[in-house]
């Protein structure tokens, strides 16, 4: 028995089942994962294949709102808040000349990007793909001086099995890089080793600094934090596709048309479409007359029947709300990002100290270790090894999770109890120290308790009294003038 199906959408459009089959997601078939452009190079060039296709991981970032926001938030919190230079611990008089050299380089690492932008791009790759690269650019004069940094998109890079060479493919172009500090030259086009200094600058591969989010499953590649929630990412994608991937503008099927004994030809489709789009709208009593014929080789005596079956339209987006919430929570949990930092407000959730504690845990367990990773790379390889900066260290600015009023009250209490000196309080508030020995002393209720003789204490107390008398006289004079003026 021959049966042909079609669907009439709410806007009157007729869609045949054959057309629907083109968009059906069937078990075992491709989900349109991007092709691995390195598939021919794993054998010929000695490259190691990643655990997961980096192009597919990069595409996941565009497929899920919560994954995208979590990656952007973490990258911004780690590397997007600026940086500063601090004297190295134990250096009493750090070199100002070294500081100026470091600042000049860090402010001009790239003609098109700031160091903040490069760091954020590196962290986006680290969070979405699991590994990331800095390209180290040296001058052509003997290739000794580091003159710049650049970000290399991770999905374009693969690692050689010797773990010292890296290959990039973009389109039909191929380029090789070498791990920072290797005492060999590598040809930028062939990837072959040469003696150090034997290649011309144009032929020599640039160095890279490599970061990876460690997994015990690979010595070569890391994996992103979101991988345990991959099922939630794909489930969310399937939910979206089920609801909206085919039926544009929410055109939910309203009728199914079944033809028995013949094929649904183009002419009949047009008649059905016209009936639902025009005739029914103009008159509720319109009549639809359909005709169909069998093919020349069809000798069946079965009568031809047209049947219209109303479809339920109750399955809406709201039916998936809990499923979507579960997916969201799993994705954010894998990233370790509190919902409100990803732009999500959860109704009925307690705030106050609970939110403060959650943010502090996020800062200490997720953000700080990754800040230290970038700081160590910049300090060890760029400042110390590359620029010979020994007195200063690079430090990223941290996210501010403090309650300012509570912090000020705590610092005041600590100062009155002798726990904090004035300079210690200034440092905790992010301000510059004051070069005065009294600012490094501790006080209890305003009285100095360390590093001061009785005579010095009396002098300090006397100076405070004199200052108080001076201020009082100024205030009284001001109020007196004000009173005379107002009388």
């Amino acid at each position: 028995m021959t049966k042909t199906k079609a669907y009439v959408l709410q806007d009157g459009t007729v869609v045949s089942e054959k057309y629907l089959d083109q968009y059906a997601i069937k078990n075992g078939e491709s989900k349109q994962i991007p092709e691995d452009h390195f598939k021919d190079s794993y054998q010929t060039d000695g490259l190691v294949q990643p655990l997961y296709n980096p192009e597919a991981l990069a595409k996941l970032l565009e497929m899920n709102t919560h994954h995208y926001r979590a990656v952007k938030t973490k990258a911004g919190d780690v590397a997007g808040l600026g940086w500063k230079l601090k004297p190295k611990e134990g250096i009493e008089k750090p070199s100002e000349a070294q500081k100026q050299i470091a600042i000049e380089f860090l402010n001009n690492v790239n003609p098109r990007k700031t160091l903040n932008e490069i760091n954020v791009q590196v962290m986006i790759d680290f969070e979405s793909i699991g590994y990331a690269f800095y390209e180290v650019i040296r001058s052509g004069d003997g290739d000794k001086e580091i003159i710049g940094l650049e970000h290399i998109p991770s999905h374009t890079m693969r690692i050689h099995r010797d773990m010292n060479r890296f290959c990039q493919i973009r389109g039909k172009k191929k380029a090789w890089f070498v791990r920072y500090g290797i005492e060999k030259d590598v040809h930028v086009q062939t990837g072959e080793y040469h003696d150090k200094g034997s290649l011309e600058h144009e032929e020599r591969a640039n160095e890279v600094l490599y970061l990876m989010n460690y997994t015990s499953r690979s010595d070569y590649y890391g994996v992103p934090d979101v991988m345990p929630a991959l099922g939630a990412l794909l489930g969310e994608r399937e939910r979206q596709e089920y609801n909206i991937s085919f039926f544009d503008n929410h055109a939910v099927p309203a009728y199914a048309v079944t033809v028995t004994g013949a094929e649904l030809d183009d002419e009949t489709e047009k008649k059905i479409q016209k009936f639902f789009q025009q005739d029914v709208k103009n008159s509720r009593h319109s009549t639809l007359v359909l005709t169909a014929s069998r093919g020349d080789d069809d000798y069946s005596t079965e009568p031809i029947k047209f049947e219209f079956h109303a479809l339920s339209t109750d399955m809406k987006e709201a039916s998936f709300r809990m499923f979507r919430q579960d997916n969201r929570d799993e994705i954010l949990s894998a990233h370790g990002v509190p919902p409100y930092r990803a732009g999500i407000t959860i109704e009925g959730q307690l705030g106050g100290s609970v939110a403060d504690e959650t943010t502090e845990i996020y800062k200490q367990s997720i953000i700080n270790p990754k800040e230290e990773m970038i700081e160590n790379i910049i300090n060890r390889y760029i400042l110390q090894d590359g620029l010979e900066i020994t007195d200063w260290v690079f430090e990223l600015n941290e996210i501010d999770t403090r309650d300012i009023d509570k912090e000020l009250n705590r610092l005041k209490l600590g100062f009155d109890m002798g726990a904090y000196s004035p300079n210690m309080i200034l440092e905790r508030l992010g301000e510059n120290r004051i070069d005065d020995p009294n600012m490094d002393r501790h006080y209890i209720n305003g009285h100095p308790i360390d590093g001061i003789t009785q005579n010095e204490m009396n002098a300090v107390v006397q100076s405070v009294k004199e200052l108080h008398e001076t201020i009082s006289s100024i205030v009284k004079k001001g109020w007196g003038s004000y009173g005379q003026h107002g009388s």
Side-chain angles (χ1 to χ4, degrees):
M1 182 172 62
T2 303
K3 282 192 176 183
T4 303
K5 281 188 178 181
Y7 294 92
V8 182
L9 310 186
Q10 285 184 341
D11 63 0
T13 303
V14 178
V15 183
S16 68
E17 195 171 61
K18 292 180 180 179
Y19 188 71
L20 283 171
D21 285 341
Q22 300 177 34
Y23 293 88
I25 299 176
K26 301 177 181 179
N27 294 332
E29 293 187 357
S30 171
K31 297 293 182 65
Q32 300 302 313
I33 297 298
E35 180 184 5
D36 189 343
H37 300 295
F38 287 80
K39 63 181 181 179
D40 297 328
S41 298
Y42 293 127
Q43 297 296 327
T44 59
D45 294 328
L47 303 179
V48 178
Q49 187 171 2
L51 295 173
Y52 304 95
N53 186 349
E55 283 86 359
L57 294 177
K59 188 176 180 181
L60 280 179
L61 197 62
E62 303 171 2
M63 292 171 56
N64 185 273
T65 304
H66 309 307
H67 175 44
Y68 175 87
R69 181 47 51 201
V71 167
K72 288 281 191 174
T73 298
K74 290 164 73 177
D77 287 344
V78 169
L81 302 178
W83 54 271
K84 56 182 174 286
L85 289 177
K86 295 183 65 175
K88 192 173 183 179
E89 188 175 352
I91 303 296
E92 295 183 359
K93 294 182 178 181
S95 168
E96 288 298 320
Q98 286 190 13
K99 183 178 182 180
Q100 291 306 312
I101 292 173
I103 289 177
E104 178 66 21
F105 173 81
L106 295 174
N107 281 332
N108 299 278
V109 295
N110 192 291
R112 301 178 305 278
K113 306 174 187 176
T114 65
L115 181 58
N116 270 8
E117 290 174 313
I118 292 174
N119 286 338
V120 168
Q121 289 174 346
V122 167
M123 287 309 301
I124 288 174
D125 276 0
F126 185 88
E127 295 295 341
S128 61
I129 296 177
Y131 59 95
F133 295 91
Y134 288 96
E135 179 184 9
V136 179
I137 303 171
R138 296 183 183 268
S139 67
D141 184 16
D143 281 5
K144 293 183 179 180
E145 181 185 1
I146 295 177
I147 62 172
L149 293 175
E150 181 60 280
H151 157 253
I152 304 177
S154 297
H155 70 277
T156 68
M157 296 281 280
R158 298 294 187 274
I159 304 174
H160 192 273
R161 63 171 62 99
D162 66 12
M163 303 183 73
N164 289 325
R165 288 175 290 173
F166 305 84
C167 183
Q168 181 185 41
I169 293 181
R170 286 196 130 171
K172 296 182 179 180
K173 294 182 179 180
K174 180 184 294 186
W176 286 84
F177 296 85
V178 62
R179 187 182 293 272
Y180 182 94
I182 298 300
E183 292 299 318
K184 287 281 188 180
D185 283 351
V186 170
H187 198 285
V188 67
Q189 294 180 343
T190 66
E192 295 176 347
Y193 282 117
H194 294 265
D195 292 336
K196 188 70 173 179
S198 62
L199 292 179
E200 296 295 329
H201 175 73
E202 294 76 14
E203 300 175 319
R204 192 176 306 152
N206 280 353
E207 296 165 283
V208 295
L209 296 168
Y210 177 55
L211 297 73
M212 62 177 286
N213 195 20
Y214 173 75
T215 173
S216 58
R217 295 185 59 213
S218 174
D219 293 329
Y220 297 89
Y221 299 95
V223 297
D225 289 345
V226 79
M227 286 312 297
L230 183 59
L233 281 171
L234 297 179
E236 184 65 10
R237 183 63 174 175
E238 295 287 352
R239 181 195 64 80
Q240 294 172 346
E241 288 183 350
Y242 182 87
N243 279 354
I244 63 175
S245 64
F246 174 73
F247 300 113
D248 293 333
N249 300 317
H250 303 285
V252 181
Y255 288 92
V257 183
T258 301
V259 183
T260 304
E263 294 291 334
L264 184 64
D265 55 30
D266 293 340
E267 184 64 27
T268 304
E269 282 191 25
K270 292 178 181 179
K271 287 184 178 181
I272 297 174
Q273 183 168 326
K274 178 178 179 297
F275 176 76
F276 281 95
Q277 286 185 332
Q278 299 179 18
D279 298 342
V280 172
K281 292 180 181 180
N282 296 331
S283 173
R284 295 185 179 181
H285 303 288
S286 298
T287 302
L288 175 63
V289 179
L290 297 176
T291 60
S293 60
R294 295 187 176 91
D296 295 338
D297 56 350
D298 188 349
Y299 302 103
S300 173
T301 59
E302 180 184 2
I304 298 175
K305 294 180 181 179
F306 289 91
E307 295 179 337
F308 287 76
H309 306 279
L311 299 180
S312 172
T313 59
D314 294 335
M315 185 63 74
K316 303 291 186 181
E317 174 67 21
S319 302
F320 293 93
R321 189 169 298 161
M322 294 302 298
F323 181 56
R324 185 181 190 189
Q325 182 176 319
D326 290 344
N327 290 336
R328 178 199 69 193
D329 293 346
E330 186 173 350
I331 291 167
L332 294 182
S333 177
H335 277 292
V337 176
Y340 81 94
R341 288 203 71 84
I344 298 169
T345 301
I346 300 178
E347 296 181 2
Q349 189 178 61
L350 295 177
S353 61
V354 174
D356 293 341
E357 291 174 4
T358 301
T359 302
E360 189 62 28
I361 292 171
Y362 164 71
K363 176 183 174 182
Q364 296 295 335
S365 63
I366 303 298
I367 300 303
N368 285 359
K370 295 175 181 181
E371 285 183 340
E372 292 176 5
M373 175 181 65
I374 293 181
E375 291 168 353
N376 289 336
I377 283 179
I378 299 295
N379 284 316
R380 178 179 177 182
Y381 299 112
I382 304 302
L383 295 188
Q384 296 178 19
D385 186 61
L387 302 179
E388 299 181 349
I389 304 297
T390 58
D391 293 359
W392 299 87
V393 293
F394 171 87
E395 189 172 288
L396 292 167
N397 293 333
E398 297 184 348
I399 58 174
D400 191 349
T401 61
R402 300 173 299 174
D403 183 315
I404 298 300
D405 291 336
K406 289 182 180 179
E407 181 73 3
L408 289 175
N409 289 334
R410 188 176 68 84
L411 292 175
K412 182 180 183 302
L413 180 62
F415 174 77
D416 292 339
M417 295 175 60
Y420 297 127
S421 69
N423 270 336
M424 291 172 65
I425 293 176
L426 289 174
E427 287 180 341
R428 288 181 178 271
L429 294 175
E431 303 293 335
N432 294 325
R433 295 168 55 88
I434 296 177
D435 189 14
D436 185 327
N438 289 322
M439 296 295 289
D440 290 313
R441 292 191 170 106
H442 292 74
Y443 302 81
I444 292 182
N445 295 325
H447 296 282
I449 61 173
D450 58 358
I452 188 170
T453 65
Q454 186 63 42
N455 291 334
E456 290 175 325
M457 182 182 294
N458 293 335
V460 171
V461 172
Q462 182 61 33
S463 64
V464 171
K465 288 182 179 180
E466 292 175 357
L467 179 60
H468 180 267
E469 291 173 357
T470 301
I471 294 174
S472 297
S473 64
I474 293 174
V475 171
K476 288 179 180 179
K477 183 178 180 181
W479 276 105
S481 301
Y482 177 81
Q484 294 172 4
H485 179 76
S487 60

